[in-house]
Amino acid sequence: MHPHSRTPIKKTKKKPLSKEQKQFNKRLAKERIVVEHVHILEFRLGSKKRLSKAELKINRLQI
């Protein structure tokens, strides 16, 4: 796993999540969905216009 990656906190049968842990998971999900939407847009643009990998990287930096 990448050292800067963050994963949601999971509950167990014996230990439910605290309010702070639920808030953390919710913030993480909000950030993740934005990134996923950017990736799907890049995929769609790349497949329609047949952009090269270099062009996709440039477009990603401009977003």
Side-chain angles (χ1 to χ4, degrees):
M1 185 176 290
H2 191 275
H4 295 291
S5 63
R6 295 182 294 166
T7 58
I9 301 166
K10 296 183 179 182
K11 71 174 190 165
T12 64
K13 288 183 180 181
K14 294 182 180 182
K15 188 176 177 190
L17 293 178
S18 69
K19 194 173 190 176
E20 292 82 18
Q21 290 171 325
K22 287 181 182 181
Q23 288 174 344
F24 171 81
N25 285 349
K26 199 171 267 195
R27 277 188 266 122
L28 190 62
K30 285 181 180 183
E31 291 176 20
R32 188 182 70 230
I33 197 67
V34 170
V35 172
E36 288 178 2
H37 284 162
V38 169
H39 287 166
I40 196 70
L41 287 173
E42 287 178 347
F43 175 77
R44 288 180 182 170
L45 283 174
S47 62
K48 286 183 181 176
K49 294 184 178 180
R50 302 288 183 225
L51 296 176
S52 69
K53 287 185 179 183
E55 289 173 313
L56 286 174
K57 286 181 183 178
I58 291 169
N59 289 340
R60 186 183 309 148
L61 293 173
Q62 292 175 352
I63 292 177

